[in-house]
CSV table of all heavy atoms in Angstrom, one decimal:
chain,number,residue,atom,x,y,z
B,911,ASN,N,1.4,-2.3,14.8
B,911,ASN,CA,1.4,-1.0,15.5
B,911,ASN,C,0.8,0.1,14.7
B,911,ASN,O,0.6,1.2,15.2
B,911,ASN,CB,2.8,-0.6,15.9
B,911,ASN,CG,3.5,-1.6,16.8
B,911,ASN,OD1,2.8,-2.2,17.7
B,911,ASN,ND2,4.8,-1.7,16.7
B,912,ILE,N,0.4,-0.1,13.4
B,912,ILE,CA,-0.2,1.0,12.6
B,912,ILE,C,-1.4,0.4,11.9
B,912,ILE,O,-1.3,-0.5,11.1
B,912,ILE,CB,0.8,1.5,11.6
B,912,ILE,CG1,2.0,2.2,12.3
B,912,ILE,CG2,0.1,2.5,10.7
B,912,ILE,CD1,2.9,2.9,11.4
B,913,PRO,N,-2.6,1.0,12.2
B,913,PRO,CA,-3.8,0.5,11.4
B,913,PRO,C,-3.7,0.9,10.0
B,913,PRO,O,-3.1,1.9,9.6
B,913,PRO,CB,-4.9,1.3,12.1
B,913,PRO,CG,-4.4,1.8,13.4
B,913,PRO,CD,-2.9,2.0,13.2
B,914,LEU,N,-4.3,0.1,9.1
B,914,LEU,CA,-4.3,0.4,7.7
B,914,LEU,C,-5.7,0.9,7.3
B,914,LEU,O,-6.7,0.4,7.7
B,914,LEU,CB,-4.1,-0.9,6.9
B,914,LEU,CG,-2.7,-1.6,7.1
B,914,LEU,CD1,-2.6,-2.9,6.4
B,914,LEU,CD2,-1.6,-0.6,6.6
B,915,SER,N,-5.7,1.9,6.4
B,915,SER,CA,-6.9,2.6,6.0
B,915,SER,C,-7.5,2.0,4.7
B,915,SER,O,-8.7,2.0,4.5
B,915,SER,CB,-6.6,4.1,5.8
B,915,SER,OG,-6.2,4.7,7.0
B,916,ALA,N,-6.6,1.6,3.8
B,916,ALA,CA,-7.1,1.1,2.5
B,916,ALA,C,-6.0,0.2,1.9
B,916,ALA,O,-4.8,0.2,2.3
B,916,ALA,CB,-7.3,2.3,1.6
B,917,ALA,N,-6.5,-0.7,1.0
B,917,ALA,CA,-5.7,-1.5,0.1
B,917,ALA,C,-6.2,-1.4,-1.3
B,917,ALA,O,-7.4,-1.5,-1.5
B,917,ALA,CB,-5.7,-3.0,0.7
B,918,PHE,N,-5.3,-1.3,-2.2
B,918,PHE,CA,-5.7,-1.1,-3.6
B,918,PHE,C,-4.6,-1.5,-4.5
B,918,PHE,O,-3.4,-1.8,-4.1
B,918,PHE,CB,-6.1,0.4,-3.9
B,918,PHE,CG,-5.0,1.4,-3.6
B,918,PHE,CD1,-4.2,1.8,-4.6
B,918,PHE,CD2,-4.9,1.9,-2.3
B,918,PHE,CE1,-3.2,2.7,-4.4
B,918,PHE,CE2,-3.9,2.8,-2.1
B,918,PHE,CZ,-3.0,3.3,-3.1
B,919,ARG,N,-4.9,-1.6,-5.8
B,919,ARG,CA,-3.9,-1.9,-6.8
B,919,ARG,C,-3.7,-0.7,-7.7
B,919,ARG,O,-4.6,-0.1,-8.2
B,919,ARG,CB,-4.3,-3.1,-7.6
B,919,ARG,CG,-4.4,-4.4,-6.8
B,919,ARG,CD,-4.0,-5.5,-7.6
B,919,ARG,NE,-5.2,-6.3,-8.0
B,919,ARG,CZ,-5.1,-7.6,-8.4
B,919,ARG,NH1,-3.9,-8.2,-8.4
B,919,ARG,NH2,-6.2,-8.3,-8.7
B,920,GLU,N,-2.4,-0.4,-8.0
B,920,GLU,CA,-2.1,0.8,-8.9
B,920,GLU,C,-2.1,0.4,-10.3
B,920,GLU,O,-2.5,1.2,-11.2
B,920,GLU,CB,-0.7,1.3,-8.5
B,920,GLU,CG,-0.6,1.8,-7.0
B,920,GLU,CD,0.8,2.2,-6.7
B,920,GLU,OE1,1.3,3.2,-7.3
B,920,GLU,OE2,1.4,1.6,-5.8
B,921,SER,N,-1.6,-0.8,-10.7
B,921,SER,CA,-1.6,-1.2,-12.1
B,921,SER,C,-1.8,-2.7,-12.1
B,921,SER,O,-0.9,-3.5,-12.3
B,921,SER,CB,-0.2,-0.8,-12.7
B,921,SER,OG,-0.2,-1.2,-14.0
B,922,PRO,N,-3.1,-3.2,-12.0
B,922,PRO,CA,-3.3,-4.6,-11.9
B,922,PRO,C,-2.9,-5.4,-13.2
B,922,PRO,O,-2.6,-6.6,-13.1
B,922,PRO,CB,-4.8,-4.7,-11.6
B,922,PRO,CG,-5.4,-3.4,-12.1
B,922,PRO,CD,-4.3,-2.4,-11.8
B,923,ASP,N,-3.0,-4.7,-14.3
B,923,ASP,CA,-2.6,-5.5,-15.6
B,923,ASP,C,-1.1,-5.7,-15.7
B,923,ASP,O,-0.7,-6.8,-16.1
B,923,ASP,CB,-3.1,-4.6,-16.8
B,923,ASP,CG,-4.6,-4.6,-16.9
B,923,ASP,OD1,-5.3,-5.5,-16.4
B,923,ASP,OD2,-5.1,-3.6,-17.5
B,924,LYS,N,-0.3,-4.7,-15.3
B,924,LYS,CA,1.1,-4.9,-15.4
B,924,LYS,C,1.7,-5.5,-14.2
B,924,LYS,O,2.7,-6.2,-14.3
B,924,LYS,CB,1.7,-3.5,-15.6
B,924,LYS,CG,1.4,-2.8,-16.9
B,924,LYS,CD,2.1,-1.5,-17.1
B,924,LYS,CE,1.7,-0.8,-18.4
B,924,LYS,NZ,2.3,0.5,-18.5
B,925,ARG,N,1.1,-5.3,-13.0
B,925,ARG,CA,1.7,-5.8,-11.7
B,925,ARG,C,0.6,-6.5,-10.9
B,925,ARG,O,0.1,-6.0,-9.9
B,925,ARG,CB,2.4,-4.7,-10.9
B,925,ARG,CG,3.6,-4.2,-11.6
B,925,ARG,CD,4.3,-3.1,-10.8
B,925,ARG,NE,3.5,-1.9,-10.8
B,925,ARG,CZ,3.6,-0.9,-11.7
B,925,ARG,NH1,4.5,-1.1,-12.7
B,925,ARG,NH2,2.9,0.2,-11.7
B,926,PRO,N,0.1,-7.7,-11.4
B,926,PRO,CA,-1.1,-8.3,-10.8
B,926,PRO,C,-0.8,-8.9,-9.4
B,926,PRO,O,-1.7,-9.2,-8.6
B,926,PRO,CB,-1.5,-9.4,-11.7
B,926,PRO,CG,-0.2,-9.7,-12.5
B,926,PRO,CD,0.5,-8.4,-12.6
B,927,GLY,N,0.5,-9.0,-9.0
B,927,GLY,CA,0.9,-9.5,-7.7
B,927,GLY,C,1.3,-8.5,-6.7
B,927,GLY,O,1.8,-8.8,-5.7
B,928,GLN,N,1.0,-7.2,-7.0
B,928,GLN,CA,1.4,-6.1,-6.2
B,928,GLN,C,0.1,-5.4,-5.6
B,928,GLN,O,-0.9,-5.2,-6.3
B,928,GLN,CB,2.1,-5.0,-7.0
B,928,GLN,CG,2.6,-3.8,-6.2
B,928,GLN,CD,3.4,-2.9,-7.0
B,928,GLN,OE1,4.6,-3.2,-7.4
B,928,GLN,NE2,2.9,-1.7,-7.4
B,929,VAL,N,0.2,-5.2,-4.3
B,929,VAL,CA,-0.9,-4.5,-3.5
B,929,VAL,C,-0.3,-3.3,-2.8
B,929,VAL,O,0.7,-3.5,-2.1
B,929,VAL,CB,-1.6,-5.5,-2.6
B,929,VAL,CG1,-2.7,-4.8,-1.8
B,929,VAL,CG2,-2.1,-6.7,-3.3
B,930,THR,N,-0.9,-2.1,-2.9
B,930,THR,CA,-0.5,-1.0,-2.2
B,930,THR,C,-1.4,-0.7,-1.0
B,930,THR,O,-2.6,-0.8,-1.1
B,930,THR,CB,-0.5,0.3,-3.1
B,930,THR,OG1,0.3,0.1,-4.2
B,930,THR,CG2,0.0,1.5,-2.4
B,931,LEU,N,-0.7,-0.5,0.2
B,931,LEU,CA,-1.4,-0.3,1.4
B,931,LEU,C,-1.3,1.1,1.9
B,931,LEU,O,-0.2,1.7,1.9
B,931,LEU,CB,-0.9,-1.3,2.5
B,931,LEU,CG,-1.0,-2.8,2.1
B,931,LEU,CD1,-0.2,-3.6,3.1
B,931,LEU,CD2,-2.4,-3.2,1.9
B,932,LEU,N,-2.4,1.7,2.4
B,932,LEU,CA,-2.4,3.1,2.9
B,932,LEU,C,-2.5,3.0,4.5
B,932,LEU,O,-3.4,2.4,5.0
B,932,LEU,CB,-3.5,3.9,2.3
B,932,LEU,CG,-3.8,5.3,2.9
B,932,LEU,CD1,-2.6,6.2,2.6
B,932,LEU,CD2,-5.1,5.9,2.4
B,933,THR,N,-1.5,3.6,5.1
B,933,THR,CA,-1.5,3.6,6.6
B,933,THR,C,-2.3,4.8,7.1
B,933,THR,O,-2.4,5.8,6.5
B,933,THR,CB,-0.1,3.6,7.2
B,933,THR,OG1,0.5,4.9,6.8
B,933,THR,CG2,0.8,2.5,6.6
B,934,SER,N,-2.8,4.6,8.4
B,934,SER,CA,-3.6,5.7,9.0
B,934,SER,C,-2.7,6.7,9.8
B,934,SER,O,-3.1,7.7,10.2
B,934,SER,CB,-4.6,5.1,9.9
B,934,SER,OG,-4.0,4.3,10.9
B,935,ALA,N,-1.4,6.3,9.9
B,935,ALA,CA,-0.4,7.2,10.6
B,935,ALA,C,0.9,7.1,9.9
B,935,ALA,O,1.1,6.1,9.2
B,935,ALA,CB,-0.3,6.8,12.1
B,936,PRO,N,1.7,8.1,9.9
B,936,PRO,CA,3.0,8.0,9.2
B,936,PRO,C,3.9,7.0,9.8
B,936,PRO,O,4.0,6.7,11.0
B,936,PRO,CB,3.6,9.4,9.4
B,936,PRO,CG,2.9,10.0,10.6
B,936,PRO,CD,1.6,9.4,10.7
B,937,LEU,N,4.7,6.4,8.8
B,937,LEU,CA,5.8,5.5,9.2
B,937,LEU,C,6.9,6.2,9.8
B,937,LEU,O,7.3,7.3,9.4
B,937,LEU,CB,6.2,4.6,8.0
B,937,LEU,CG,5.2,3.8,7.3
B,937,LEU,CD1,5.7,3.2,6.0
B,937,LEU,CD2,4.7,2.7,8.2
B,938,ALA,N,7.6,5.6,10.8
B,938,ALA,CA,8.7,6.3,11.5
B,938,ALA,C,10.0,5.9,10.8
B,938,ALA,O,10.2,4.7,10.5
B,938,ALA,CB,8.8,5.9,13.0
B,939,PRO,N,10.8,6.9,10.5
B,939,PRO,CA,12.1,6.6,9.9
B,939,PRO,C,13.0,5.7,10.7
B,939,PRO,O,13.0,5.7,12.0
B,939,PRO,CB,12.8,8.0,9.7
B,939,PRO,CG,11.7,8.9,9.7
B,939,PRO,CD,10.6,8.4,10.6
B,940,ASN,N,13.7,4.7,10.1
B,940,ASN,CA,14.6,3.8,10.7
B,940,ASN,C,13.8,2.8,11.6
B,940,ASN,O,14.5,1.9,12.3
B,940,ASN,CB,15.7,4.4,11.5
B,940,ASN,CG,16.6,5.2,10.7
B,940,ASN,OD1,17.0,4.7,9.6
B,940,ASN,ND2,17.0,6.4,11.1
């Protein structure tokens, strides 16, 4: 239900298995 604008890594050396995703619209609470 929400398109993604970007995918990137914040700290690839310390957290190589973590990917941060940027949404094109805000997430709805609950």
Side-chain angles (χ1 to χ4, degrees):
N911 301 327
I912 295 185
L914 296 174
S915 299
F918 58 94
R919 296 216 255 198
E920 298 175 63
S921 182
D923 293 335
K924 295 181 180 179
R925 292 181 288 274
Q928 179 177 291
V929 178
T930 301
L931 304 171
L932 173 65
T933 65
S934 60
L937 300 172
N940 293 320

